[in-house]
Amino acid sequence: MTSNPVSENAFAPKAQQKPYVHELHNDQREDLYAWLRADNWQEVMRQPDKLAPDIRDYLEQENGYCKAVMADTEDLQKLLFEELKGRIKEDDSSVPSPDGLWLYYVRYEEGQQHPVFCRKPREDNGIENRGNEEVLLDGNVKAEGKDFFQIASCAHSPDHRYIAYSVDETGSEYYTLRIKDLTTGIELEDVIDSTSGSVVWAADNQTLFYTVLDDNHRPSKVLRHCLGDEENLDVLVYEESDPGFFVGIGKSESGKCIQILAHDHQTSEVHLIPAGNPASKPVVVSVREPGIEYEVSDHDDRLLVLTNADDAVDFKICETSFDKMGRENWKDLIAHKPGVLILSLLVFKDFMARLERVEGLPKIIVTHFSDNQEHEIAFDEEAYSLGISAGYEFDTKILRFSYSSPSTPTRVFDYDMESRERTLRKEDEIPSGHNPDAYTVRRLLAPSHDGALVPVSLIHRKDTVLDGKAPLLLYGYGSYGNAMPAGFMRNCFSLVDRGFVYAIAHIRGGTDKGYGWYLDGKMDKKKNTFIDFIAAAEHLIAEGYTAAGQIAAHGGSAGGMLMGVVSNMRPDLFKAIVADVPFVDVLTTMCDETLPLTPPEWPEWGNPIASKEAYDYIKSYSPVDNVTAQDYPNMLVTAGLTDPRVTYWEPAKWVARLRELKTDSNHLIFKTNMSAGHGGASGRFERLKEVALMDAFLLKTFDL
């Protein structure tokens, strides 16, 4: 599997250089590859064939080069693909969720890529029993003949007669909304384009709410649609005037309230509409205040509010009445506890369940409204992941939760909140076989530069020799408050079973150790994210798991930005870098307020247009702006042509800059999916081909 990287690099594509200068705050930045940004990018999102020929030619050259460099791994990629596919139960099904007389679920068919949405009578219970099944929407039929296809939602009306579903056929995340009459099997003529994918039914079964995307791909309006009406008759219910705020819709657990959710990364505002009176004007719960986040659930004649108000950094739960909803009336129900982050709240008729995270590990707390007594659901493993889901029913004592660990496949339980009994409803099967006892799972604490202890979760085979020389894959993200759960990752085992140690660095910028962990990794503290990742790598070396130059780093999107920064800062630590759809041209993007995510993301990174301090700080780490003439690790970089989150030209410009300046002969390969967006290829098997490419790249690089 060895090859000659020197000769390969001699034939690497060279992007044309066209002089261009960005100027702001009396600072000039030369950008020789600015031409890779399509001036008609909005049009390309909808119609990829509208991409300028010179840009398309360059991307195709890079794709050809990627194929040529990886040609000696084609058989290995096929083998890895079959391994990855072998860990997926092809005829799988979700646990049915009850709603009235029906059970709703999603299943997959053997050999098929897309989900099938189904229901069956409630008495016909059981995961495997498909008697009396009714297929509501078959994604495989809908996807026929399409290069890309993704279903964002499939929501049934309260009377179970209709479904509203939304699909994306380009990867651009522009979703088309359609409605199907389940009594006749006929789709209505109602077709709504350019939605964000979400849809909520009102109680009258004739009205639905949806959000639309503006020309800059931001969800900014909520509209109300009545079945049978032309789209131009739809009523504007809410319009957001601040380009920094995104708008979403939802429904409370009780089903009584339609919710309009306006938010950026640090401020939120909720408006309510009675589901039984959909034509009524939305009423704000509490007017937005900078830095105050909240979300609400209704219970009887009161609202329960999950919020960070009053310096509740890790959030608290308040209550207030419907006639006095403003923040000044909120009273503590569950007080703030520093270091105990309340992640989410589910409200039922007689119970409340909340998901917390303490020192990087989740826990579930159940409260009985009748006496306000609470109890915790206990778990034993050293590192694990939890999730809770509301289901469709409000008057129930059953809480559904999922559990997994790095070595334990996902298990779904129904938990009786009254009797405290848990019933295993499903355990993910690994058809090709999996023995949890063959692996060791550990949780370490890596000291960072300022004494902060960074949790690191890892898994390896028990027979892997830990002599300080083992190859290690270190994954990281560290942005937007997104924690990285220590759950089961079936795709990691092709590497782990070949001797890799797989590790996750729970770095600042996520909420792995509370909301303060997030605050210490954003804005003018963003560099903690990168230093924490490096500290995790150094600690794994010090503990004898691996060695400098034996580490592969992996991250995507904002985690891809992390990859760009650490490859600039400490290239000596890493033998390989895998950056999926990486956000690497941070300064240029944050200075372009026409792009979809720029104004909403200023609270995350800072606003370099308004603040020279923010400009200088972002410039000091932005990967594209800090590529230098030095040796870099072997690199695999990916992009999606119709990606509205991290536009394709960011990784394209980064790769071009690296080719221009890097002094090594290591691999640098770049692949753009020309018919997909941020999430990569659609279909559960097509995505595995991208994983197989990554694994083959790493095995080739480490000569395994």
Side-chain angles (χ1 to χ4, degrees), residues 301-303 319-326 329:
D301 59 352
R302 62 177 175 166
L303 285 178
E319 62 178 341
T320 191
S321 63
F322 270 98
D323 57 353
K324 294 182 179 179
M325 295 191 296
N329 301 301

Side-chain angles (χ1 to χ4, degrees), residues 382-398:
E382 187 172 336
Y384 57 87
S385 172
L386 290 174
I388 58 177
S389 57
Y392 297 113
E393 297 191 319
F394 184 66
D395 187 2
T396 180
K397 59 182 181 179
I398 300 301

Side-chain angles (χ1 to χ4, degrees), residues 63-368:
N63 284 348
Y65 179 65
C66 173
K67 185 175 178 62
V69 172
M70 297 298 293
D72 59 343
T73 71
E74 287 184 0
D75 289 342
L76 175 60
Q77 288 182 54
K78 293 176 183 177
L79 173 64
L80 289 165
F81 173 75
E82 292 301 325
E83 281 184 18
L84 294 161
K85 188 177 177 183
R87 298 190 188 100
I88 294 178
K89 184 182 179 184
E90 294 198 26
D91 57 344
D92 203 6
S93 173
S94 66
V95 179
S97 293
D99 188 13
L101 299 176
W102 295 96
L103 294 168
Y104 288 85
Y105 57 99
V106 178
R107 64 173 174 82
Y108 287 88
E109 296 179 346
E110 187 169 356
Q112 297 296 321
Q113 301 257 30
H114 299 281
V116 181
F117 294 82
C118 306
R119 71 180 178 188
K120 58 186 177 181
R122 187 162 186 157
E123 65 270 13
D124 193 8
N125 208 343
I127 297 176
E128 300 299 334
N129 184 6
R130 294 181 184 166
N132 299 318
E133 176 182 86
E134 180 182 353
V135 173
L136 310 179
L137 179 66
D138 189 334
N140 302 295
V141 174
K142 294 290 184 182
E144 287 180 2
K146 298 177 175 66
D147 291 335
F148 184 95
F149 182 82
Q150 184 183 60
I151 300 173
S153 62
C154 179
H156 62 271
S157 59
D159 66 354
H160 309 278
R161 177 175 175 175
Y162 302 99
I163 59 167
Y165 69 95
S166 53
V167 298
D168 172 15
E169 297 183 0
T170 65
S172 63
E173 300 179 40
Y174 282 107
Y175 293 93
T176 298
L177 179 62
R178 291 184 169 89
I179 295 120
K180 179 181 178 181
D181 187 337
L182 299 177
T183 61
T184 64
I186 297 174
E187 292 199 359
L188 306 187
E189 294 182 1
D190 310 52
V191 177
I192 304 170
D193 293 319
S194 299
T195 81
S196 67
S198 299
V199 59
V200 175
W201 286 95
D204 65 358
N205 306 295
Q206 295 293 308
T207 306
L208 49 83
F209 295 84
Y210 63 94
T211 54
V212 294
L213 301 171
D214 64 17
D215 291 339
N216 290 327
H217 206 284
R218 297 174 191 141
S220 59
K221 297 178 182 178
V222 175
L223 280 84
R224 185 177 71 241
H225 176 79
C226 291
L227 298 189
D229 284 353
E230 296 288 339
E231 183 180 349
N232 60 7
L233 297 177
D234 289 355
V235 177
L236 178 64
V237 177
Y238 177 89
E239 182 172 9
E240 178 56 53
S241 59
D242 187 337
F245 273 65
F246 277 7
V247 177
I249 52 173
K251 185 185 285 188
S252 64
E253 296 96 313
S254 72
K256 294 179 181 178
C257 296
I258 307 294
Q259 299 186 347
I260 298 174
L261 316 165
H263 63 90
D264 63 11
H265 287 291
Q266 63 182 20
T267 303
S268 57
E269 182 178 84
V270 179
H271 299 250
L272 301 179
I273 299 172
N277 187 12
S280 60
K281 184 179 179 180
V283 178
V284 67
V285 173
S286 188
V287 176
R288 68 187 67 171
E289 301 175 60
I292 303 298
E293 299 180 62
Y294 72 93
E295 57 187 64
V296 301
S297 299
D298 62 274
H299 182 259
D300 293 335
D301 59 352
R302 62 177 175 166
L303 285 178
L304 301 182
V305 185
L306 176 60
T307 181
N308 67 345
D310 307 314
D311 298 319
V313 175
D314 287 310
F315 289 75
K316 62 179 179 177
I317 299 172
C318 300
E319 62 178 341
T320 191
S321 63
F322 270 98
D323 57 353
K324 294 182 179 179
M325 295 191 296
R327 179 189 165 196
E328 66 275 9
N329 301 301
W330 297 354
K331 296 180 181 179
D332 287 4
L333 183 65
I334 304 294
H336 174 240
K337 296 179 183 177
V340 180
L341 176 61
I342 304 178
L343 296 165
S344 60
L345 173 69
L346 288 181
V347 174
F348 302 88
K349 181 177 180 292
D350 298 316
F351 298 91
M352 174 174 68
R354 66 185 189 269
L355 184 64
E356 299 180 343
R357 185 180 296 119
V358 182
E359 288 298 323
L361 287 178
K363 57 167 56 175
I364 299 172
I365 309 294
V366 174
T367 303
H368 199 306

Side-chain angles (χ1 to χ4, degrees), residues 8 14 23 27 69 159 184 186 240 261 278 291 423 431 471 533 600 638 650 659 687:
E8 286 172 1
K14 300 293 184 182
E23 186 169 359
D27 180 61
V69 172
D159 66 354
T184 64
I186 297 174
E240 178 56 53
L261 316 165
T423 302
F533 190 83
T638 68
E650 291 204 35
R659 290 205 196 285
R687 291 191 187 98

Side-chain angles (χ1 to χ4, degrees), residues 3 5 8-9 11-13 58-59 61-73 77 576-582 633-639 651-652 654-656 658-659 662 664-672 690 692-698 700-701:
S3 56
E8 286 172 1
N9 275 280
F11 294 98
Y58 171 68
L59 297 178
Q61 284 184 47
E62 288 284 4
N63 284 348
Y65 179 65
C66 173
K67 185 175 178 62
V69 172
M70 297 298 293
D72 59 343
T73 71
Q77 288 182 54
I577 297 281
V578 178
D580 292 324
V581 291
N634 297 275
M635 291 186 172
L636 168 62
V637 183
T638 68
W654 183 44
V655 168
L658 284 164
R659 290 205 196 285
K662 75 188 191 87
D664 59 85
S665 57
N666 291 329
H667 297 299
L668 171 58
I669 55 180
F670 176 41
K671 181 176 181 180
T672 301
E690 297 173 348
L693 174 67
M694 180 191 82
D695 287 355
F697 168 75
L698 293 175
K700 172 187 177 81
T701 300

Side-chain angles (χ1 to χ4, degrees), residues 316-540:
K316 62 179 179 177
I317 299 172
C318 300
E319 62 178 341
T320 191
S321 63
F322 270 98
D323 57 353
K324 294 182 179 179
M325 295 191 296
R327 179 189 165 196
E328 66 275 9
N329 301 301
W330 297 354
K331 296 180 181 179
D332 287 4
L333 183 65
I334 304 294
H336 174 240
K337 296 179 183 177
V340 180
L341 176 61
I342 304 178
L343 296 165
S344 60
L345 173 69
L346 288 181
V347 174
F348 302 88
K349 181 177 180 292
D350 298 316
F351 298 91
M352 174 174 68
R354 66 185 189 269
L355 184 64
E356 299 180 343
R357 185 180 296 119
V358 182
E359 288 298 323
L361 287 178
K363 57 167 56 175
I364 299 172
I365 309 294
V366 174
T367 303
H368 199 306
F369 284 132
S370 64
D371 55 13
N372 287 324
Q373 294 296 308
E374 61 181 39
H375 66 273
E376 178 182 345
I377 305 176
F379 304 95
D380 297 327
E381 289 189 85
E382 187 172 336
Y384 57 87
S385 172
L386 290 174
I388 58 177
S389 57
Y392 297 113
E393 297 191 319
F394 184 66
D395 187 2
T396 180
K397 59 182 181 179
I398 300 301
L399 169 68
R400 181 162 292 172
F401 71 84
S402 60
Y403 171 92
S404 73
S405 78
S407 63
T408 306
T410 300
R411 296 170 177 169
V412 178
F413 293 88
D414 277 351
Y415 180 77
D416 189 312
M417 293 181 281
E418 192 166 67
S419 69
R420 305 188 185 185
E421 295 179 355
R422 67 183 81 177
T423 302
L424 178 64
R425 296 298 310 277
K426 179 185 178 182
E427 181 170 2
D428 279 1
E429 297 180 34
I430 310 299
S432 59
H434 175 75
N435 177 16
D437 294 333
Y439 303 93
T440 296
V441 175
R442 292 289 314 281
R443 192 168 182 84
L444 310 178
L445 292 173
S448 195
H449 64 105
D450 55 0
L453 296 177
V454 180
V456 180
S457 302
L458 62 84
I459 182 172
H460 61 80
R461 286 190 61 89
K462 288 181 177 177
D463 56 8
T464 296
V465 179
L466 300 178
D467 58 358
K469 300 177 183 177
L472 184 143
L473 178 59
L474 183 61
Y475 179 83
Y477 188 76
S479 291
Y480 307 117
N482 291 340
M484 293 296 105
F488 188 74
M489 296 161 290
R490 68 183 72 213
N491 288 347
C492 80
F493 289 96
S494 288
L495 295 177
V496 170
D497 288 343
R498 287 174 170 82
F500 270 81
V501 177
Y502 185 92
I504 302 171
H506 303 277
I507 52 184
R508 278 176 282 190
T511 53
D512 303 74
K513 291 181 69 175
Y515 203 80
W517 199 244
Y518 167 46
L519 296 177
D520 280 345
K522 64 179 292 193
M523 299 289 282
D524 59 357
K525 297 182 179 179
K526 188 63 209 170
K527 290 183 182 179
N528 284 334
T529 299
F530 319 131
I531 300 172
D532 283 357
F533 190 83
I534 291 169
E538 292 176 331
H539 187 67
L540 289 163

